C-alpha cells in the first residue's frame, strides 16, 4: 500500500511540474484566457444574449462601485429560469479557487436589472447597473462565468470574462 501512495504522489508531482511549465493550468476548464472583453460561451443554439457589454472601472477596486452596461435580447418568452454564476481566482498561476458558485432565480434578476417580472416577453432590454465590489475578493485576476437556463433546463445564454481586482 505504501508503494501505491508513493507512485500516486510521484505522478501528481510530475503532472504539476509539466502543467506549470506548459502553462496549461493557467486556464479554467480549458476556457480561453487573455480575452479582454466578454466571451459568448454558449454551447448550443441560444435564444437570449447580452451584447455591447462593458464593465468599468478596469481594474475593479474592492469596496468601490463598478458599472455594468449592456443590451439583453431574447427571442422567446422566458417564463422562469436559473442563473448560474461562478467566479474563480487564479492563485499563483497554478490553482483555481472558486469564490462564487451560486444559482439564482433568473426572474428575480430581471426584476433587479430591468424592473420587469416574468414572463419576460421577447424584446430588447437595456442594463445599466451599479454594484459594489465585495471586500472579500483578493487582489488579482479572476475568471467569471454566467449561464442562464430556462424552465426545461436548456441553456439560454452564457457569457464569460476575465477581470482584475485591485
Amino acid at each position: 500500500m505504501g508503494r501505491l501512495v508513493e507512485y500516486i504522489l510521484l505522478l501528481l508531482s510530475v503532472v504539476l511540474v509539466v502543467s506549470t511549465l506548459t502553462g496549461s493550468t493557467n486556464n479554467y476548464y480549458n476556457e480561453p484566457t487573455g480575452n479582454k472583453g466578454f466571451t459568448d460561451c454558449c454551447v448550443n443554439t441560444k435564444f437570449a444574449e447580452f451584447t455591447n457589454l462593458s464593465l468599468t472601472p478596469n481594474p475593479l477596486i474592492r469596496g468601490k462601485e463598478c458599472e455594468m452596461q449592456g443590451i439583453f435580447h431574447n427571442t422567446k418568452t422566458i417564463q422562469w429560469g436559473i442563473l448560474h454564476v461562478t467566479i474563480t481566482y487564479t492563485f499563483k498561476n497554478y490553482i483555481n479557487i472558486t469564490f462564487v458558485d451560486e444559482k439564482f432565480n433568473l426572474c428575480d434578476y430581471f426584476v433587479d436589472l430591468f424592473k420587469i417580472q416574468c414572463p419576460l416577453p421577447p424584446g430588447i432590454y437595456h442594463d445599466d447597473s451599479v454594484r459594489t465590489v465585495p471586500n472579500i475578493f483578493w487582489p488579482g485576476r479572476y475568471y467569471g462565468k454566467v449561464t442562464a437556463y430556462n424552465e426545461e433546463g436548456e441553456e439560454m445564454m452564457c457569457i464569460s470574462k476575465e477581470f482584475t481586482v485591485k
Side-chain angles (χ1 to χ4, degrees):
M1 185 67 165
R3 297 290 280 171
L4 178 62
V5 172
E6 288 177 18
Y7 284 121
I8 291 173
L9 290 175
L10 178 63
L11 179 64
L12 288 174
S13 63
V14 168
V15 168
L16 180 62
V17 168
V18 169
S19 61
T20 302
L21 290 175
T22 62
S24 63
T25 58
N26 199 19
N27 56 26
Y28 182 69
Y29 297 119
N30 295 322
E31 293 285 345
T33 59
N35 185 7
K36 301 298 183 214
F38 288 83
T39 302
D40 183 351
C41 51
C42 201
V43 295
N44 60 8
T45 306
K46 57 186 178 278
F47 57 87
E49 68 179 336
F50 261 107
T51 58
N52 298 327
L53 280 168
S54 68
L55 183 63
T56 54
N58 185 16
L60 300 175
I61 301 168
R62 295 181 309 155
K64 302 287 183 183
E65 289 185 341
C66 67
E67 181 179 22
M68 184 168 146
Q69 294 179 326
I71 299 170
F72 179 77
H73 179 240
N74 62 316
T75 58
K76 294 181 181 177
T77 299
I78 299 173
Q79 300 290 338
W80 180 88
I82 293 290
L83 192 66
H84 185 198
V85 178
T86 58
I87 299 176
T88 305
Y89 175 79
T90 303
F91 181 71
K92 302 232 183 219
N93 288 333
Y94 62 84
I95 190 167
N96 295 308
I97 300 170
T98 300
F99 270 73
V100 177
D101 187 356
E102 294 290 331
K103 293 180 180 171
F104 302 98
N105 182 321
L106 184 60
C107 292
D108 290 344
Y109 192 69
F110 287 151
V111 170
D112 190 34
L113 284 182
F114 310 125
K115 311 298 185 248
I116 300 173
Q117 296 194 4
C118 286
L120 187 71
I124 297 174
Y125 304 91
H126 296 271
D127 172 31
D128 188 6
S129 57
V130 176
R131 302 275 191 261
T132 300
V133 178
N135 286 320
I136 192 171
F137 289 124
W138 300 334
R141 193 181 74 209
Y142 287 81
Y143 173 82
K145 184 175 181 180
V146 178
T147 309
Y149 301 93
N150 66 9
E151 60 274 7
E152 284 95 36
E154 300 170 315
E155 185 177 285
M156 292 188 288
M157 61 168 258
C158 178
I159 54 174
S160 63
K161 179 168 179 54
E162 287 186 20
F163 58 95
T164 302
V165 174
K166 284 196 171 195

